Amino acid sequence: EVEERTEAVQHLASELESQTVDREDVARALHDDLGQLIVGVRMELDTLERTLRGLATRDGPPLGHLSTVVETLDRSVRGFISRLREPPTVDDLEESLEELVAPLRARSGVAIETEVRLDGAVPSDATREAMYRLVQEALSNAFKHAEPTRIRIALRRAGEALLAEVEDDGRGFDVEASRVGLGLKGLRERARALGGVLELLSGEGGTTVRMRLPAAATMEVRA
């Protein structure tokens, strides 16, 4: 049941990225499906706790830990639903990236370097959002699959383009043979909608995810 619900959530996330489903619809579906599942898990834990209460055993299942996990999941889902209904804006890319990276750097011990050098270009709201989402997705994939020791994040201007890049030195993969996940598909659609492209390079030395967007879609800061 969890696998089925997870697939349903992933499908909804993909539709959200391609902007084919209203955020309110996604939030409502998450609330109904995952909320119901969490309530069911709580009830099963309560039943199990009552069943084991009279048993004289010193090494029972860690029900306290499981309850904590369920409550943490509940808070996470509620927070995600809240962000869907009132999505946060990415006003300052450098500040937003630091807020994203700081806890990962502290918990993982991975060396994460960030560089924001847009040379006077002020990206539009949609461009800032796309660049931020690329970093978010690339970091998630790196920590899930690559086991990196170093990650470099760069947002920079290159001629007539703005680049958002995330490079890691972890375990690479065969780009041609691997199935691209929903997150990367969503990023590709974001880039295409802004007149840009998403590039994915991977091998023995690690993986690079790069979004290339036209600088012409931004405003210049003039004296």
Side-chain angles (χ1 to χ4, degrees), residues 5-6 8-13 16 23-38 74 76-85:
R5 299 294 186 186
T6 301
V9 171
Q10 289 175 336
H11 178 66
L12 287 170
L16 173 63
R23 286 178 179 267
E24 283 291 336
D25 292 338
V26 177
R28 193 176 302 111
L30 284 173
H31 177 272
D32 294 343
D33 290 349
L34 282 183
Q36 182 180 4
L37 181 59
I38 290 171
D74 186 34
S76 296
V77 170
R78 291 178 184 276
F80 185 49
I81 292 172
S82 176
R83 290 194 298 273
L84 278 174
R85 286 180 170 154

Side-chain angles (χ1 to χ4, degrees), residues 130-144:
M131 298 174 84
Y132 178 85
R133 295 304 175 191
L134 174 128
V135 174
Q136 188 178 48
E137 178 67 18
L139 285 175
S140 176
N141 287 339
F143 280 105
K144 282 181 182 177

Side-chain angles (χ1 to χ4, degrees), residues 160-172:
E160 297 303 313
L162 293 180
L163 301 181
E165 298 177 321
V166 178
E167 299 178 355
D168 70 66
D169 65 350
R171 184 173 60 246

Side-chain angles (χ1 to χ4, degrees), residues 51-114:
T51 301
L52 297 175
R53 191 171 294 160
L55 299 179
T57 176
R58 291 180 302 174
D59 299 318
L63 298 184
H65 173 69
L66 291 177
S67 297
T68 301
V69 170
V70 172
E71 295 306 319
T72 300
L73 175 61
D74 186 34
R75 289 194 298 271
S76 296
V77 170
R78 291 178 184 276
F80 185 49
I81 292 172
S82 176
R83 290 194 298 273
L84 278 174
R85 286 180 170 154
E86 296 182 11
T89 58
V90 181
D91 296 321
D92 186 309
L93 271 173
E94 192 164 6
E95 181 179 337
S96 297
L97 284 181
E98 186 56 31
E99 290 177 356
L100 174 65
V101 167
L104 295 174
R105 186 187 287 127
R107 290 198 305 266
S108 68
V110 174
I112 305 178
E113 305 169 7
T114 60

Side-chain angles (χ1 to χ4, degrees), residues 83-211:
R83 290 194 298 273
L84 278 174
R85 286 180 170 154
E86 296 182 11
T89 58
V90 181
D91 296 321
D92 186 309
L93 271 173
E94 192 164 6
E95 181 179 337
S96 297
L97 284 181
E98 186 56 31
E99 290 177 356
L100 174 65
V101 167
L104 295 174
R105 186 187 287 127
R107 290 198 305 266
S108 68
V110 174
I112 305 178
E113 305 169 7
T114 60
E115 176 189 8
V116 178
R117 187 163 48 83
L118 299 178
D119 294 337
V122 180
S124 66
D125 291 346
T127 300
R128 288 198 303 273
E129 176 77 10
M131 298 174 84
Y132 178 85
R133 295 304 175 191
L134 174 128
V135 174
Q136 188 178 48
E137 178 67 18
L139 285 175
S140 176
N141 287 339
F143 280 105
K144 282 181 182 177
H145 308 296
E147 299 180 359
T149 62
R150 183 187 62 82
I151 298 175
R152 188 184 71 86
I153 301 167
L155 306 183
R156 59 189 178 87
R157 184 164 186 166
E160 297 303 313
L162 293 180
L163 301 181
E165 298 177 321
V166 178
E167 299 178 355
D168 70 66
D169 65 350
R171 184 173 60 246
F173 64 98
D174 187 337
V175 175
E176 299 298 327
S178 299
R179 189 167 70 95
V180 175
L182 297 175
L184 290 175
K185 286 181 180 178
L187 289 175
R188 184 167 288 131
E189 290 164 0
R190 281 182 184 270
R192 188 181 301 121
L194 292 168
V197 295
L198 182 73
E199 302 169 358
L200 181 60
L201 307 171
S202 188
E204 293 184 0
T207 298
T208 299
V209 184
R210 179 186 300 119
M211 183 180 287

